[in-house]
Amino acid sequence: MSQAPKLNKNQKFSTNMASAHELMLLGKQGKKGNQSVARYALPAFNVTTYQGIDAAVDAFQTLGASGIVAFSNSALKHFGNGDAIKGLARASEHVKMLAKEGNVKIATHLDHGDYLSDSGKKVVDAAIECLTSVMADNSTDHKNETHTPLEVNIEATRAVVDKAHAKGVSVEGELGVLAGVEDEDTQSEVSTYTDPEELKDFLTKTGVLMLAPTIGTMHGPNKGKPGQKVKLNIELANECLKIADKINSDIIFVAHGASTLYPNVIEYAVNQLKDMGTLAEATKKWNNFVGTDWDQIEGLIKAGFCKINTDTENRQTYLAALLGAVKAGPATIDIRNFDKVTYKALYHSYLQKLIMAGNYGVWHEPKIDVKNFKFTLS
Ligand code: 13P
């Protein structure tokens, strides 16, 4: 296989837009302006609505943070009323417009694109034209729910790199299979760890600068049993980092399934449900939600995971806030009130996660006291 093309770093995107890789590299190198700091990570917030985009971008602006706004295939369909390609155009234009108004750098990312199916290819090709970063998740054949052979994964991922890198669009590959339910388009019953033996081959042949190794994280709201701590394979993460750094120290790892699921959000939702009639089943579900513990994610950040993906906890935050707003005003015809409440909850939860990840003060001083900030729903 010929040498993989390098990422074109001279590509000019719309004002204040950058490739996800450019922003994450600053995190891996611990750079904030002229300052050298500890390694930090960029939460990639999966959004489903314009309100979610606004809340994320406002949080980046408040903190002077580097931003990643991510879209899953089903989110794009939602933005496009069933048509993912239309959704891509609409949602990406919205982010570009907001980025122009501000003074931080933002990347837009396609989450779990695949280059194995015809429909997946169409979305990835369109995303290369309007986003600044794409994931080529070819480690699983989602249609047939099978693990893809290494050579097939390499070939499909390399095809994306060939197109995307020329346009300055960074590419994230996946090696190993991540279990859990991300959304209707991306789910798997089983999980397999990344094989370090395959890693070198995959990175060298594909040329990706972003990789999601599988080290035990899971998508979705049930990452473990209630009361038990989720344990990731940090040892394997460090082993993978050593291999990747030898090939190219610019390679960044990505943690999927990084939602911590805020306990105060669960508690708040359960409290709202208490007086709402026959919702025992829903209360049980909320109580059974288990996220990945933050100390585990911190271990990953040290091991070079500078992109931490969250989707589930954003949806839970939205829903918990909505439950509270509906309970407080079940006959509120001015539905803008519900929008205000859910926006505020999302904005504050995004601030919290960015602060936890150390991603603030990158482009300007934070406009709030980050040390004393605490996200609560009320
Ligand atoms: P969560 O399900 O933990 O939010 O993970 C989302 C994710 O990894 C998107 O790719």
Side-chain angles (χ1 to χ4, degrees):
M1 209 178 236
S2 62
Q3 215 184 355
K6 289 200 177 355
L7 178 65
N8 173 9
K9 295 189 179 172
N10 297 320
Q11 178 74 26
K12 289 269 173 286
F13 293 109
S14 175
T15 311
N16 289 332
M17 298 297 297
S19 80
H21 181 262
E22 179 186 331
L23 302 181
M24 289 187 305
L25 192 56
L26 296 176
K28 186 174 181 191
Q29 295 170 342
K31 284 191 186 155
K32 291 184 180 176
N34 298 328
Q35 272 186 306
S36 283
V37 296
R39 178 173 287 170
Y40 60 93
L42 276 66
F45 297 125
N46 267 58
V47 294
T48 315
T49 60
Y50 291 102
Q51 187 200 52
I53 296 178
D54 292 355
V57 174
D58 287 349
F60 305 147
Q61 299 289 3
T62 299
L63 292 173
S66 286
I68 303 181
V69 179
F71 305 99
S72 69
N73 199 47
S74 54
L76 290 172
K77 279 192 212 154
H78 188 64
F79 278 109
N81 287 331
D83 182 336
I85 307 289
K86 270 193 190 146
L88 253 174
R90 291 174 187 174
S92 62
E93 281 309 313
H94 189 71
V95 181
K96 281 185 211 163
M97 183 190 72
L98 296 179
K100 267 188 206 150
E101 293 171 358
N103 50 359
V104 297
K105 298 249 182 198
I106 298 174
T108 40
H109 179 78
L110 172 68
D111 191 31
H112 290 288
D114 87 88
Y115 221 59
L116 297 169
S117 67
D118 286 343
S119 58
K121 273 186 190 162
K122 274 191 197 139
V123 176
V124 172
D125 284 343
I128 291 171
E129 299 304 321
C130 45
L131 304 184
T132 69
S133 181
V134 295
M135 178 178 190
D137 169 8
N138 302 309
S139 68
T140 313
D141 180 337
H142 289 289
K143 216 175 213 163
N144 300 313
E145 294 192 11
T146 50
H147 183 28
T148 319
L150 179 66
E151 311 72 55
V152 177
N153 186 359
I154 288 176
E155 200 180 316
T157 306
R158 172 61 187 273
V160 178
V161 170
D162 284 344
K163 284 188 179 175
H165 273 194
K167 293 180 181 269
V169 172
S170 48
V171 180
E172 175 184 331
E174 179 166 307
L175 194 59
V177 179
L178 194 82
V181 180
E182 160 56 20
D183 60 32
E184 78 210 31
D185 298 330
T186 320
Q187 46 189 289
S188 173
E189 289 292 317
V190 288
S191 161
T192 56
Y193 283 151
T194 295
D195 178 351
E197 298 285 317
E198 294 182 350
L199 184 64
K200 191 173 165 205
D201 210 22
F202 184 85
L203 290 173
T204 318
K205 288 185 178 156
T206 62
V208 290
L209 292 175
M210 294 149 63
L211 178 80
T214 49
I215 36 73
T217 55
M218 262 182 92
H219 286 133
N222 303 102
K223 300 180 194 301
K225 296 218 160 51
Q228 278 178 23
K229 211 171 147 65
V230 171
K231 217 125 173 56
L232 306 180
N233 195 339
I234 310 276
E235 217 175 294
L236 175 61
N238 278 306
E239 192 183 341
C240 289
L241 179 69
K242 271 194 204 137
I243 296 168
D245 272 349
K246 266 196 201 143
I247 295 167
N248 181 351
S249 60
D250 285 0
I251 291 169
I252 312 281
F253 287 158
V254 179
H256 282 249
S259 275
T260 44
L261 313 189
Y262 300 104
N264 65 333
V265 169
I266 309 240
E267 197 187 327
Y268 180 85
V270 168
N271 277 338
Q272 308 314 305
L273 289 168
K274 254 185 206 154
D275 308 324
M276 289 175 122
T278 54
L279 294 166
E281 203 47 44
T283 305
K284 195 170 149 201
K285 273 196 183 160
W286 273 98
N287 276 322
N288 282 344
F289 288 158
V290 175
T292 307
D293 293 279
W294 182 249
D295 64 346
Q296 300 287 296
I297 303 291
E298 279 182 315
L300 291 185
I301 296 173
K302 286 197 185 98
F305 285 68
C306 291
K307 175 168 173 275
I308 50 175
N309 290 4
T310 70
D311 188 351
T312 304
E313 70 184 20
N314 313 328
R315 300 186 200 199
Q316 286 177 320
T317 298
Y318 175 96
L319 179 55
L322 185 61
L323 284 171
V326 171
K327 189 178 153 195
T332 304
I333 303 295
D334 185 354
I335 56 166
R336 282 163 293 209
N337 184 52
F338 301 132
D339 263 359
K340 276 185 205 151
V341 172
T342 48
Y343 163 86
K344 189 173 156 212
L346 283 173
Y347 169 65
H348 283 155
S349 73
Y350 291 150
L351 288 177
Q352 182 74 77
K353 192 49 44 98
L354 290 161
I355 293 170
M356 284 160 86
N359 177 11
Y360 52 83
V362 182
W363 303 102
H364 60 74
E365 284 301 310
K367 295 177 186 157
I368 56 168
D369 176 4
V370 295
K371 296 276 176 297
N372 291 311
F373 178 80
K374 190 153 175 29
F375 159 52
T376 52
L377 290 178
S378 55

